[in-house]
Amino acid sequence: MESPMDSRTLHFHHLLCVLSITTSFQVITGGRLLQGDPFAVPSPSPPATTLADQYLDPHKQARAAVRVPPLRWSPQLASTASGVTRDQRERSACGFADLGSSQYGANQAWASYPMGPAEAVRSWVAEGKYYDYANNTCAAGHEDCGTYTQVVWRRTTSVGCAQAVCGGGSGRGRATATLTLCLYDPPGNVVGEKPY
């Protein structure tokens, strides 16, 4: 027969175990660590973005800001851009490609670190602050604003992009460079015409 003291001690020990389990319970879901209510339903993970979306989203935002329709992703242009960036990686350590005779419009970005696709596009869009729509010119010293006008060029309907990474590795002092290239069809930056 149990004594009343033994029953209370057992109940107290059981209560401590339950409190300990519920306060330290952690659930890992979708790469996120959730703490708190162990029976709560985790919020759904945001939809995964494709590589194309990483390039397209900043283009869409910039074009929407000037009421220009969004671009379509072109696998053909992306494949061409991939070939060019691969050649540049092999031949010139990710230097800019000479695209003067290309049938497409082009924007290139170079960084001395692993630059993401959206960051590259945003760097071109940022040049828009130097574009004077009334005079259809770039501010002195900022001739690169042509990268912005290509992004928002109204007649351009499709884009395809690629990146190459050069250098890097595990050794000390090995620099990493990123070359980003987007090709546009039809090309923009037609002399004497405004982008939108």
Side-chain angles (χ1 to χ4, degrees), residues 77-153:
L77 291 175
S79 177
T80 302
S82 180
V84 171
T85 57
R86 186 174 45 254
D87 287 347
Q88 291 307 109
R89 179 182 61 223
E90 293 169 6
R91 294 182 187 161
S92 69
C94 286
F96 279 167
D98 179 3
L99 299 169
S101 62
S102 174
Q103 64 183 358
Y104 305 115
N107 278 341
Q108 298 182 75
W110 184 91
S112 60
Y113 57 91
M115 174 186 266
E119 181 183 2
V121 177
R122 285 193 301 267
S123 74
W124 302 326
V125 172
E127 291 296 315
K129 65 186 167 198
Y130 302 112
Y131 176 65
D132 179 355
Y133 183 81
N135 296 318
N136 195 28
T137 58
C138 298
H142 295 280
E143 288 72 26
D144 285 348
C145 85
T147 59
Y148 164 75
T149 55
Q150 175 59 81
V151 167
V152 297
W153 198 265

Side-chain angles (χ1 to χ4, degrees), residues 4-196:
M5 184 59 103
D6 291 338
S7 176
R8 278 185 272 155
T9 303
L10 183 60
H11 179 71
F12 181 73
H13 178 70
H14 176 72
L15 182 61
L16 282 177
C17 287
V18 169
L19 285 174
S20 175
I21 291 169
T22 58
T23 57
S24 64
F25 186 75
Q26 298 175 344
V27 178
I28 298 178
T29 177
R32 294 175 306 199
L33 179 63
L34 303 175
Q35 295 181 327
D37 182 358
F39 304 105
V41 177
S43 60
S45 298
T49 52
T50 66
L51 184 59
D53 289 335
Q54 293 177 45
Y55 289 106
L56 281 173
D57 289 347
H59 277 93
K60 287 178 186 176
Q61 292 167 2
R63 292 172 70 86
V66 294
R67 295 184 171 92
V68 175
L71 297 174
R72 289 185 321 272
W73 183 255
S74 167
Q76 176 194 357
L77 291 175
S79 177
T80 302
S82 180
V84 171
T85 57
R86 186 174 45 254
D87 287 347
Q88 291 307 109
R89 179 182 61 223
E90 293 169 6
R91 294 182 187 161
S92 69
C94 286
F96 279 167
D98 179 3
L99 299 169
S101 62
S102 174
Q103 64 183 358
Y104 305 115
N107 278 341
Q108 298 182 75
W110 184 91
S112 60
Y113 57 91
M115 174 186 266
E119 181 183 2
V121 177
R122 285 193 301 267
S123 74
W124 302 326
V125 172
E127 291 296 315
K129 65 186 167 198
Y130 302 112
Y131 176 65
D132 179 355
Y133 183 81
N135 296 318
N136 195 28
T137 58
C138 298
H142 295 280
E143 288 72 26
D144 285 348
C145 85
T147 59
Y148 164 75
T149 55
Q150 175 59 81
V151 167
V152 297
W153 198 265
R154 179 178 298 281
R155 288 196 208 126
T156 298
T157 57
S158 55
V159 65
C161 309
Q163 287 187 312
V165 176
C166 294
S170 58
R172 287 197 101 166
R174 301 225 24 202
T176 297
T178 308
L179 174 65
T180 305
L181 170 65
C182 286
L183 298 176
Y184 301 85
D185 191 38
N189 291 335
V190 177
V191 175
E193 293 185 21
K194 289 186 175 184
Y196 50 88

